[in-house]
Amino acid sequence: MATIKDVAKMAGVSPSTVSRTLSGKIPVDSETRERVMNCVRQLDYRPNVIAKGLREGKTRAIAFLLPNIENQIYPSLAIAVEAEARRHGYFVFFCNTQDDPQRELDYVEKLKSRFVDGFIFSTAASDSPTILQLRRQEYPVVCLMRATADGVNAFVSNNEQGAYLGVSFLIENGFTRIATITGRPSLELYKQRLQGYCRALEDHGLPLDPALIWSGVDGQCEKAFHCTREHLLAGPPPEVIFAQSDPLAFDAMRAAGSLGLRVPEDLSVLGYDNVPLAACYTPPLTTVEQPLHEMGKAAVQRLISMIEGDIPLESPATQFSANIIIRGSVKLAGQKTIREFTS
């Protein structure tokens, strides 16, 4: 593999002249520049990006830590993050943590020693020790979709407003007995969605029934399918389920189908996210959409501005409005009936 010294020798110039020519930051006369570039092409010289990054203090690479790449929301975010990073000349390391704090810490420790310039976390719990430690060490860090309790450098949908919008939509279409399937309580986004659910019921004069608040997760293991079956069998069943994520909604719909219930004829289901599968499911899922592409793009822009010293390392959260995507899983008109069913 050719080195900068090989290029310099072939071109009859010093290595520093080759470096200046390639960087473009210091003027080099046109004849010298053309000679150097011809030698670069002939030798197929490729600069050592890591060494260059160490000299300049930047590698033009960022890390994106995801909790579970199998969850459809994260590939959508990853596509947005990677596209915007490349537009700015940055590369992205994707790290699938499986929501394991130790695995997350292992990734961070290996990457932070000048191999990346900053971090995007979609894994943030309310009091994430890894993120708090990186902030103390003054690394550029942003949170995407999930956020720490203080909301610093977070790019999230307005979860409370989105849930309020979704439940209000259900009430305005005649539903009064509305169950909700919650997500992991350690995540701020699910706390906020539950708050939105409760506020919508209160503002529309409906009582809050604790029996209609169902836990859709157990530690790190999704259990919405079994949770939905158990509650539907225990009765009396709700008219509609507001699942606080699309994957929870898919599990709820499968559970209803396993009991012979039709969606939406017998039981309506509303999700939250609008992942790609939502439009392809049977029936297509009515859901609260959060603008994943815009959120990912904005998070990268903020991180790069932090890396390049254009803005401070800490800024308030940026919230994105949600809206309803109406499809086929919610019955909007007519008499709603629940058929008799058994396990």
Side-chain angles (χ1 to χ4, degrees):
M1 181 181 294
T3 67
I4 194 169
K5 290 182 179 180
D6 296 329
V7 175
K9 182 178 180 180
M10 186 176 187
V13 298
S14 67
S16 61
T17 298
V18 176
S19 180
R20 291 197 302 272
T21 301
L22 294 175
S23 72
K25 295 179 180 178
I26 301 175
V28 176
D29 69 80
S30 58
E31 181 181 344
T32 300
R33 178 177 180 78
E34 184 178 354
R35 188 165 69 252
V36 168
M37 294 309 297
N38 281 336
C39 294
V40 166
R41 285 189 287 270
Q42 289 180 48
L43 294 172
D44 193 25
Y45 170 67
R46 300 173 186 273
N48 186 324
V49 175
I50 293 178
K52 182 174 183 290
L54 291 172
R55 290 194 302 272
E56 297 180 354
K58 294 186 179 66
T59 61
R60 301 190 73 80
I62 60 177
F64 184 20
L65 288 93
L66 310 165
N68 184 355
I69 198 65
E70 292 181 336
N71 185 328
Q72 281 199 43
I73 198 168
Y74 297 111
S76 297
L77 287 174
I79 290 169
V81 165
E82 197 268 346
E84 186 64 13
R86 283 184 62 85
R87 195 173 74 83
H88 289 272
Y90 280 71
F91 292 90
V92 183
F93 290 99
F94 294 102
C95 306
N96 183 34
T97 71
Q98 294 298 118
D99 259 331
D100 179 350
Q102 185 57 52
R103 189 169 179 171
E104 175 178 288
L105 181 60
D106 290 344
Y107 275 127
V108 169
E109 289 300 318
K110 286 179 173 62
L111 289 171
K112 74 179 184 180
S113 299
R114 289 188 179 270
F115 289 114
V116 298
D117 297 329
F119 295 85
I120 298 177
F121 286 86
S122 281
T123 58
S126 301
D127 58 349
S128 170
T130 302
I131 293 175
L132 296 177
Q133 177 66 18
L134 284 171
R135 287 183 193 161
R136 285 192 291 270
Q137 295 171 341
E138 297 189 339
Y139 278 90
V141 176
V142 301
C143 295
L144 176 57
M145 200 185 77
R146 296 184 184 180
T148 51
D150 57 17
V152 171
N153 295 334
F155 290 81
V156 294
S157 75
N158 188 332
N159 292 293
E160 197 272 349
Q161 176 259 350
Y164 181 91
L165 179 69
V167 176
S168 296
F169 164 78
L170 297 175
I171 296 170
E172 289 160 5
N173 278 282
F175 295 96
T176 58
R177 187 168 170 79
I178 304 169
T180 186
I181 303 177
T182 66
R184 192 171 302 120
S186 63
L187 300 180
E188 285 297 310
L189 65 91
Y190 289 123
K191 296 177 184 177
Q192 294 159 0
R193 291 175 192 178
L194 182 57
Q195 290 168 359
Y197 165 83
C198 295
R199 184 166 69 87
L201 295 178
E202 180 181 359
D203 286 358
H204 290 84
L206 295 179
L208 177 63
D209 183 353
L212 292 177
I213 299 176
W214 305 346
S215 175
V217 296
D218 182 10
Q220 294 186 0
C221 179
E222 298 285 348
K223 64 169 190 176
F225 175 83
H226 301 291
C227 166
T228 302
R229 277 183 59 94
E230 290 168 6
H231 282 94
L232 290 177
L233 287 169
E239 300 166 304
V240 59
I241 296 172
F242 166 47
Q244 294 182 17
S245 74
D246 284 353
L248 295 176
F250 299 145
D251 278 355
M253 293 166 75
R254 287 196 304 112
S258 74
L259 295 172
L261 290 175
R262 300 166 300 168
V263 177
E265 292 85 355
D266 304 316
L267 176 70
S268 290
V269 177
L270 174 70
Y272 196 117
D273 287 329
N274 196 30
V275 299
L277 182 59
C280 307
Y281 214 78
T282 304
L285 181 66
T286 296
T287 188
V288 179
E289 179 185 49
Q290 49 182 339
L292 301 178
H293 180 81
E294 290 79 1
M295 290 162 60
K297 180 178 178 180
V300 172
Q301 291 172 350
R302 170 77 61 82
L303 183 63
I304 290 175
S305 293
M306 292 161 62
I307 291 168
E308 298 183 353
D310 297 331
I311 60 173
L313 291 180
E314 292 192 4
S315 301
T318 300
Q319 290 190 327
F320 294 77
S321 296
N323 62 286
I324 303 290
I325 303 297
I326 300 174
R327 297 193 179 101
S329 65
V330 172
K331 191 171 183 179
L332 301 181
Q335 185 67 34
K336 294 177 285 295
T337 59
I338 304 292
R339 295 188 295 144
E340 295 289 334
F341 63 94
T342 58
S343 59

